[in-house]
Every structure is written in structure tokens, then in C-alpha cells.
Amino acid sequence: MASRSTRLERLRGYLETPISIQSLVVVRIAFGLILAWDCWRYINYERIERYYVITEFTFPFVPFAQPLPEPWIHILWGGVGLLGFTVALGLFYRVSIVALTAIFAYFFLLDRAQYLNHNYMVILYGILLAFMPAHRAFSVDAWLFPRLRSAVIPRWPMTVLKTQTEIILIYAGIVKITDDWLRGEPLRLWLSDRGDDVFFGFLFQYDWAFIAASWGTVALHIIGAPLLLWKRTRLAIFLIYAFFHWSNSQLFSIGIFPWITLALTTIFFAPDWPERLWRRLTGKAAPDTPERVQAATDPRHAFRLSTIALVALGLWFAVQIYVPQRQLFFNNLVGWTGDGHRFSWRMRIYARVSEGTFKIVAPSGEEWNADPYKLMSRRQARNVLARPDIAYMFAQQLEEIWAEGGYGDVAVYADVQVSLNGRPMQQFTDPTVDLTAIDWDWATPTSWIYPNQLRAADDIVADWFPPLPLQKP
């Protein structure tokens, strides 16, 4: 049996092996261009204004993350587009990718009510790319600084990107192994009247199609993702993923997620796949360059991965594996309560409809009602009425507003009803709990959320029972 040190050296040797830089270059270019496009989308649909300017409420992940005033917040967001282009071009790459990731993270931290899985994913890949030599070829940097040029890189950047992508894809399948999902809900609820949106929409009139799609999605992620690592099945699985992402883009409003995920999935092909594809399409080999000729013998390519870097990568992936599982430590159902929902790759898995108000009661007995849908954007309101931590933060903000108006020590009560995956509305919050009189503890289940009385969507399939009566909200 090989000793631990021997196994570590073998791993180090594998990660240090020189490979072509081409696949990493494709990821760099696609990552930058897609974020530049996302910048344009937000400006075109006035989302920065709606999300961070005209609203009086935000629910930051950290207290110091606050929206800049106009016009600076739009100028800063414009930096995402500009830096996306400079990353794609490989212009001052290190500075560009760090600045791009930092600005994107700032907007992400501004409001947990705007949380999207793909925004979290962008930050993760941005951090990883900041440590990778993705600018040593096909970049302005390589043209400006000839000593930087290289046709090869160590294997570790591609291995890291593959591992991160496998974690995301596999978890995206695992979290869908629930009773509701495997019965075809909420796909049936979402798609039953969308038959005209895609060429295969005629299937949406059959219940079996939703069940097949639900099971197929789970299989594609749990089984298909590992098959991307195997050369014989890689292309077939990639094409299935391409169809899957295209379908999602047509049927759901999910922004850049399908395209950035598909771009990242190209890393599973051979490191020099762009050259191979070029050869197949044109019948011509890529021209030899000085960098390609000297790549095999240049001592600059004797890559060395430090022990500190190996430990850092181990800790990174330990966190990536642990965080999506944290809801297992809560004695409740994450699909209903929302505890442990974020950062766990629960993408397009629930249909939640909520309604309700917050009641503010002054010590004098005066009462007011606050309807979130009348005070903020629709997305914010939906999350205030369905995510306990945001409801709690909203209550604290209402208390502050009333205190500024001369009413001291008011009580705030949330009276909220929620429909999960088409079920009838059910009381969600305990309307007798003063949310200003309790403390929030992210590490424990929310005590003032009523349990779901209608069998929630997060019961892992261990027994089978007839579908519950569902109604379309």
C-alpha cells in the first residue's frame, strides 16, 4: 500500500502535468462575454433601478453592504460589463477578473431577496479563475507581454473547474429526489399551459411526460454528470445537456444560467478540443507558433503546486460539499420553511405562492398593516412572505421606521399563508409571535413557522402514496 506521502506526490504530479491551455481560454472568453451580456440585460430591463434604487428596502447578507446612490450604483454595475469584456479579451486579466468578481459579489450581497443560484455560481467560478493562468494565450496580455505567453498550463485549473462543476450538477439532482418532484410536480403546474412555447410542447398534455421529465432531470444530473468524465459518453451527455439548457431557456426566465453552465461544461472535453474541432471542420492543423514549438521543453512549464495550494483546494471543496447538506441538521422540511435553501443548488424545484401582511402594534394599542407587495418589488415581496430570515429582517426594518416616526418599542407580527407546489394555502407563520422580541439564529430551525400539514415536498421518497389534491393558484 502506498504511503500517504506517496499518494500526495502522485496527486501533485497529476495536477502539475502540462496540458493545452485552449479549453481554459474558451472558459475565460465565455465567462467574460456572458457577464457582459448579463450587465446589458439588467440595464435594459431596468433591474438595477427596480432592485436597488426606487425600493426603500433591501435585505443584505452583511450589514455593511448597502446600495450606492445614483448615479454611482449604475456606474458600478456598468463596470461588470466593461470588466466582462476585458476578461474575455485577456486585458490586464488578473486585475479584471478580481475586480469583476468583487463588483458582482457586492451586488449579490446587497439583497438576499434577489438571491439566484447562478449569481452565487458566478462568484465561485470568478474566485477560482482569479488564481488560474487563463491569460497566457489568445489574450491581449500575451500580446503585450511576450514573456507571459504559453501554450500549456498545469492540469490543476481544469481539474478544479471540473470538480466544482460536478459538485453543482450532482447536488442539483440529489435535491430533486423528493416525493413531489418524482410525481411530476411542480413541472406539471408550470408547464401544462406552455405547450406552444417549444416544439415538443404537445407532450405537456400527458401526465407521464412530466413524470418522465422529472425523473430524467434527476438521472441527467446524478448519472449524467459523472459520465462527462468518461470519453466514450462525454459528447452524448454534453449534447443532452445542451438540449436541456436550451429547453430551460425557452420555458423559464432563468437569465444566464443555462448558457454559463453549458460554457463551463465544455471543460470536460480534451484540453485541446478547440484545435481538434478546427481540424475536423477545416481539415487543417492549427499553425505552429513559437509558444507551441517550445511548450514541451521550456523550463517555465515545470509547474509546481505548493502544499499550501493543495490544502487550500482541499478546504475549498470540503466547504462546497458540506454547505449544500446543512439542511440535514434541521429537523424540518427545507422546501416548506426555507431553512438551508440557499447555497444548496435547489434550482427550479418548488412552486411557492404566498400572501399576507405584517401588523405593527404600538404600545398605545394603535395598529397598522404593511403589505410587502405595496412596498417593494414583486420579487422582494415574494421572498419576504416565504423566507423566514427575510421576514424577520423586514420586521426589524418596520420597527426602525416606526421608531423614527415617534413610536417607540412597537411589536411586529407576520400573518402569512403559503401554497407549496399547488396545494391549498396554509398558515405559514405564527401570527402571535412578535418578531421584534426574538433573536435570529441561522444555525437552528425557525421556531415560528408552522409545520406543513399537507405533506411537504421535501420528504425523501421512502414510501409511495397517491398524489395529493393540487390546485393551480
Side-chain angles (χ1 to χ4, degrees):
M1 176 181 288
S3 66
R4 181 177 301 178
S5 61
T6 302
R7 291 195 297 269
L8 183 61
E9 285 305 312
R10 287 179 179 175
L11 174 62
R12 192 198 304 272
Y14 174 80
L15 296 175
E16 293 172 350
T17 303
I19 61 171
S20 173
I21 195 176
Q22 295 175 27
S23 187
L24 183 59
V25 168
V26 171
V27 170
R28 184 201 81 213
I29 294 172
F31 187 83
L33 291 179
I34 289 173
L35 286 187
W37 173 49
D38 200 34
C39 174
W40 175 83
R41 288 177 59 253
Y42 268 63
I43 293 174
N44 185 55
Y45 294 110
E46 300 180 339
R47 290 180 180 174
I48 297 300
E49 182 175 1
R50 288 189 286 115
Y51 293 171
Y52 308 115
V53 177
I54 63 176
T55 181
E56 297 183 9
F57 298 91
T58 56
F59 309 96
F61 281 99
V62 289
F64 57 80
Q66 297 297 326
L68 292 173
E70 279 278 59
W72 301 110
I73 193 165
H74 269 98
I75 293 173
L76 186 62
W77 180 252
V80 171
L82 176 62
L83 291 167
F85 279 116
T86 58
V87 166
L89 292 171
L91 174 61
F92 305 123
Y93 171 74
R94 295 290 189 189
V95 174
S96 295
I97 188 65
V98 170
L100 174 61
T101 304
I103 294 174
F104 204 90
Y106 162 75
F107 281 93
F108 178 84
L109 293 173
L110 279 180
D111 194 352
R112 63 185 69 198
Q114 309 296 346
Y115 173 86
L116 293 171
N117 280 288
H118 67 256
N119 287 346
Y120 171 51
M121 184 174 72
V122 164
I123 295 170
L124 293 182
Y125 283 101
I127 293 172
L128 294 175
L129 285 169
F131 292 94
M132 297 178 181
H135 60 317
R136 292 191 174 183
F138 305 99
S139 70
V140 176
D141 284 354
W143 176 68
L144 291 175
F145 310 105
R147 290 180 59 83
L148 186 70
R149 298 175 190 170
S150 174
V152 295
I153 56 171
R155 189 189 299 273
W156 72 261
M158 303 312 297
T159 302
V160 167
L161 292 178
K162 288 179 183 179
T163 305
Q164 182 67 68
T165 304
E166 285 288 328
I167 290 172
I168 294 173
L169 294 178
I170 291 174
Y171 269 124
I174 291 175
V175 298
K176 289 182 172 65
I177 306 179
T178 64
D179 289 320
D180 274 15
W181 184 267
L182 297 183
R183 281 201 303 263
E185 295 295 347
L187 285 183
R188 181 186 291 107
L189 192 66
W190 288 332
L191 301 179
S192 58
D193 59 352
R194 302 288 299 275
D196 295 333
D197 291 356
V198 287
F199 70 87
F200 54 88
F202 67 93
L203 295 173
F204 296 166
Q205 61 185 305
Y206 305 107
D207 284 345
W208 63 262
F210 300 112
I211 296 174
S214 298
W215 283 73
T217 300
V218 172
L220 177 61
H221 288 82
I222 296 179
I223 300 174
L227 289 179
L228 286 169
L229 298 168
W230 190 26
K231 183 178 180 179
R232 291 190 175 184
T233 54
R234 185 176 299 141
L235 179 58
I237 296 298
F238 177 83
L239 293 176
I240 295 173
Y241 266 115
F243 177 75
F244 174 78
H245 290 309
W246 173 83
S247 300
N248 282 337
S249 72
Q250 301 300 304
L251 294 169
F252 305 113
S253 298
I254 49 179
I256 66 173
F257 180 75
W259 313 119
I260 198 164
T261 306
L262 191 61
L264 289 164
T265 307
T266 63
I267 62 176
F268 290 96
F269 291 107
D272 62 341
W273 71 263
E275 179 182 340
R276 297 186 186 191
L277 181 61
W278 171 262
R279 235 180 5 242
R280 177 164 294 189
L281 293 176
T282 66
K284 301 177 182 178
D288 283 333
T289 64
E291 298 78 46
R292 287 165 55 86
V293 172
Q294 70 180 11
T297 58
D298 193 324
R300 291 184 301 134
H301 304 309
F303 302 108
R304 187 66 180 168
L305 193 61
S306 70
T307 300
I308 294 177
L310 283 174
V311 171
L313 288 174
L315 290 175
W316 173 275
F317 288 119
V319 171
Q320 295 304 310
I321 292 171
Y322 166 75
V323 169
Q325 300 184 64
R326 70 195 186 285
Q327 73 274 1
L328 297 177
F329 299 97
F330 297 147
N331 186 27
N332 59 23
L333 302 170
V334 63
W336 174 249
T337 67
D339 292 328
H341 170 80
R342 298 189 194 91
F343 313 108
S344 61
W345 310 117
R346 294 174 177 273
M347 297 171 278
R348 302 299 301 183
I349 188 173
Y350 309 120
R352 298 165 64 93
V353 178
S354 54
E355 60 184 30
T357 59
F358 286 70
K359 182 171 69 173
I360 303 100
V361 181
S364 63
E366 293 178 88
E367 295 185 5
W368 301 264
N369 287 323
D371 183 351
Y373 280 105
K374 296 180 180 179
L375 297 174
M376 60 191 70
S377 70
R378 184 172 180 81
R379 176 182 287 179
Q380 283 182 308
R382 285 201 310 263
N383 281 284
V384 165
L385 294 172
R387 300 291 177 212
D389 60 329
I390 304 180
Y392 177 82
M393 294 179 72
F394 183 57
Q396 311 310 306
Q397 293 183 33
L398 290 175
E399 181 186 29
E400 293 176 4
I401 292 171
W402 256 254
E404 292 173 358
Y407 298 90
D409 196 26
V410 299
V412 180
Y413 304 91
D415 186 7
V416 179
Q417 299 79 42
V418 172
S419 166
L420 178 64
N421 290 345
R423 292 174 172 84
M425 284 285 185
Q426 179 190 321
Q427 188 67 30
F428 183 62
T429 59
D430 184 343
T432 66
V433 174
D434 176 10
L435 298 185
T436 68
I438 60 176
D439 294 324
W440 177 264
D441 184 359
W442 64 269
T444 59
T446 308
S447 59
W448 41 274
I449 300 297
Y450 282 140
N452 188 345
Q453 302 298 320
L454 295 174
R455 193 73 183 256
D458 263 50
D459 291 331
I460 299 300
V461 175
D463 59 328
W464 292 96
F465 49 89
L468 294 169
L470 302 178
Q471 63 181 21
K472 193 162 186 177

